[in-house]
Amino acid sequence: MDIKDKIIKLRKDIKMYSDYYYSNDSSLISDIEFDKLMKQLKELEDEYPEYKDSSSPTEKVGATDMKSTKFQKVTHKRPMLSLSNTYNESEIKDFTDRVKKLLPDNTDVNYALELKLDGLSISVTYEKGKLVKAVTRGDGQIGEDVTENIIEIESLPKILKEPVDIEIRGEVVLPLSKFEKLNKKRLEMGEDVFANPRNAASGTLRQLDSSIIKERGLDAYFYFLIGAENMGFKSHSESLNYIKNLGIKTTGICEICKSANELMKRIDYWGEKREELDYETDGMVIKVNNLNLWDILGATTKSPRWAIAFKFPAKQVTTKIDGVTWQVGRTGKITPVAELKEVELSGSKVKRASLHNFQEIKRKDIKIGDTVFIEKAAEIIPQVIKSVKELRTGKETDIIEPTNCPICNTKVVREEGQVDIKCPNTVCPGKIEGELIYFVSRDAMNIAGFGSKIVENMLRLGFVKNIVDIYDLKRYREQLQNLDKMGEKSVDKLLASIEASKKRDYSKVLCALGIPFVGKTSAKLLAKASGNIDTLINMSVEELMQIEGIGDKMAQAIYDFFRDEDKLKLVIGLKEHGLQFSQDKETKADGDNILAGKTFLFTGTLKNFKREEIKEQIEKLGGKNLSAVSKNLDYLIVGEKAGSKLKKAQDIGTIKIITEDEFIDMCNKK
Ligand code: IVH
């Protein structure tokens, strides 16, 4: 394809995606993919200016085709511009450098940092303090009059505290709690769910029936007062305070920073903190705070030069499914995994994503060759959310459920009422590999340096055939050292980690055994209640059910597990190698469980612990972690910049509020 054709194709694709988004309230591709296409086009147009064209999407903001809209069109008094995006500190530095370069030497520049709400932008006009008009962004020049609908947003004042003439700009959002409720209801009614809160907000605002707005709980936050520089304000932050005092909800935080480095520190902070907010944020907005500098800096046709957006790593991206592999897990469950065209998601490269089971594939109508949305929820493996049917070419093929195990070819079984298929072969190599990977994993024996690749290699070479063999690996020291990429040092390290794992607590060993339904928390309960493996093995289902936190399904699974000869052999083998099969005295005696019976929660940034570490410490000493402030909470540990949890705890009044140092003292008391 020559350059001209490439440019034409990019413009056509971008226009199609953009038009679809603005008239259907849902996207065919993710923002990141869309940005990438835009960037490609922009680069080509810059490199080959002979092909520049004023109708190119790079010259426009938002919707490119306003024909299909259902509302009255209104021309904005001032165009509603967009923002350029940045993704890392060096791009922020480029921005601050650029700002400095455009200003006279030694100009003192402050930056206001705000959350970037992920909804749809709106411009609202008040005359003599009365709300008279609300218009969507549209193509940036012409938007849609949605006044009838906007007035249904409860938090938005219809009359201001003062009779002023102002135009403000902000973002209409659907709070996350409302979004979840809405999707749940839609699912129950058999309707399509909204892919994300932004689409839901957009779909809701553009409803012809305005009563739906109130019902669904739409909200709006504002971040911009038009013409603030001519109203006597010196800074953007000052103008936001002004509108706040008039009764308007603003984006909440507006922090002042002096440098790219300082901005990045606060962005990192909010990157974590945003998870606690009830609305979706897709990044932060950095604005030059001094209003008198805005004019000097000016704007391009698309965006102002005094502001820029920083985008948080995306949780959702689009890519293509190249194929499907059926994976056998440690329990024999056979799971479909999508093999993807590699994409970046939340900062890591992703090539595979879970498709859960065949029923899900059918329900979501997913085919090989489809463009799909994938998502990574907090630390979980990526999952395929939905396929984009509009992008099908006809060459896509159906995914077929296997009748035989893809590893050992045994005929698969499906238990009654279950959706999953399973391999019933107890010695299926796929299953054994899964058991081994689980055994060495972090929550179980946590054998450092023993990843799934090594498990795979050891199995392939015949050095291990089952879990117990891990503890005999030292016999193969020489052979291991001769292996590609292993080397003397890493072999010694691996063998040392294996030895060290023999000291892991009884509860970790219990977890590592891979009893169905027993994870690290239930393993701890079982370890504490039984004291040693022999007692546990001899417990009846009823006795097991009496242990707090152990339900009937788990009790039965534990009972069955220890009635399986192979599993008993595993226990005996591991015992012979010296693994811990009884509760450590230190944690058994309640007196040493210094935090026993106490509940904890922490807030803010801690200086001595990572989030997971403090939780572990609390549990290790017998305490319990709570997930929210409630009357059941005994201690709130406050770090730096403690947020709303602190206020809530103070309001309740009975909660002891302690510092991190006081918590450490508590742990060290004997
Ligand atoms: S300022 C001319 N501030 O992000 C400056 N925008 O990608 C206008 N947005 O069109 C934008 N939160 O819809 C600004 N705190 C914030 C924002 C924000 C969300 C949206 C807005 C804008 C888009 C740009």
Side-chain angles (χ1 to χ4, degrees), residues 338-488:
E339 304 292 344
L340 308 165
K341 191 167 150 259
E342 190 173 275
V343 275
E344 204 168 295
L345 177 60
S346 298
S348 56
K349 291 203 167 23
V350 173
K351 275 203 315 213
R352 317 183 83 201
S354 173
L355 284 161
H356 302 286
N357 55 54
F358 193 60
Q359 206 164 311
E360 277 292 290
I361 294 176
K362 285 270 142 216
R363 190 178 71 77
K364 291 178 182 159
D365 182 17
I366 290 168
K367 293 178 192 267
I368 296 170
D370 267 347
T371 296
V372 287
F373 273 80
I374 59 165
E375 181 177 273
K376 212 193 254 177
E379 287 173 72
I380 305 172
I381 25 164
Q383 314 190 14
V384 176
I385 303 297
K386 65 167 193 174
S387 62
V388 185
K389 294 171 195 85
E390 292 80 353
L391 293 179
R392 281 192 177 152
T393 59
K395 292 205 184 102
E396 295 74 20
T397 52
D398 283 339
I399 298 168
I400 300 174
E401 191 176 42
T403 51
N404 293 62
C405 170
I407 304 287
C408 68
N409 211 28
T410 308
K411 212 167 166 41
V412 303
V413 292
R414 189 191 315 269
E415 282 160 29
E416 227 188 278
Q418 297 288 313
V419 285
D420 297 318
I421 48 171
K422 280 189 161 184
C423 170
N425 177 8
T426 47
V427 289
C428 168
K431 231 173 176 172
I432 293 173
E433 184 174 333
E435 285 171 357
L436 284 163
I437 291 173
Y438 181 73
F439 185 84
V440 299
S441 70
R442 257 185 74 174
D443 282 351
M445 297 306 280
N446 193 10
I447 304 183
F450 212 142
S452 55
K453 278 259 158 60
I454 297 199
V455 169
E456 211 182 288
N457 271 331
M458 300 296 113
L459 276 169
R460 191 172 42 83
L461 295 165
F463 293 170
V464 295
K465 290 190 184 62
N466 56 46
I467 290 174
V468 180
D469 289 348
I470 291 177
Y471 293 95
D472 284 324
L473 254 183
K474 47 184 176 292
R475 278 197 247 153
Y476 297 98
R477 175 177 249 125
E478 247 166 64
Q479 283 102 314
L480 288 170
Q481 282 169 352
N482 291 331
L483 282 181
D484 202 22
K485 288 193 198 134
M486 280 293 269
E488 210 170 306

Side-chain angles (χ1 to χ4, degrees), residues 214-225:
K214 200 181 263 172
E215 186 188 307
R216 290 190 185 166
L218 217 54
D219 209 348
Y221 294 85
F222 292 81
Y223 47 67
F224 191 30
L225 169 64

Side-chain angles (χ1 to χ4, degrees), residues 270-287:
W270 283 105
E272 268 199 31
K273 194 83 182 157
R274 71 184 175 128
E275 304 291 343
E276 295 170 22
L277 307 171
D278 193 30
Y279 45 75
E280 193 100 312
T281 50
D282 59 341
M284 301 203 74
V285 181
I286 303 165
K287 297 172 185 167

Side-chain angles (χ1 to χ4, degrees), residues 221-234:
Y221 294 85
F222 292 81
Y223 47 67
F224 191 30
L225 169 64
I226 302 247
E229 64 276 28
N230 304 323
M231 294 170 73
F233 297 108
K234 288 211 163 48

Side-chain angles (χ1 to χ4, degrees), residues 61 79-85 114-122 137 169-171 222-224 236 251 282 284-285 287 303-304 306-307 309 311:
V61 177
M80 279 181 89
L81 297 181
S82 180
L83 294 171
S84 319
N85 290 330
E114 292 165 13
L115 287 167
K116 184 172 185 309
L117 307 193
D118 197 12
L120 64 152
S121 36
I122 191 90
R137 178 164 75 183
R169 290 187 175 164
E171 202 81 353
F222 292 81
Y223 47 67
F224 191 30
H236 167 67
T251 33
D282 59 341
M284 301 203 74
V285 181
K287 297 172 185 167
S303 47
W306 43 263
K311 293 288 247 327

Side-chain angles (χ1 to χ4, degrees), residues 570-589:
L570 167 67
V571 172
I572 293 166
L574 293 177
K575 252 190 188 172
E576 280 171 4
H577 280 287
L579 272 70
Q580 307 298 312
F581 277 102
S582 64
Q583 181 88 341
D584 200 285
K585 276 170 234 86
E586 247 179 66
T587 45
K588 196 185 176 187

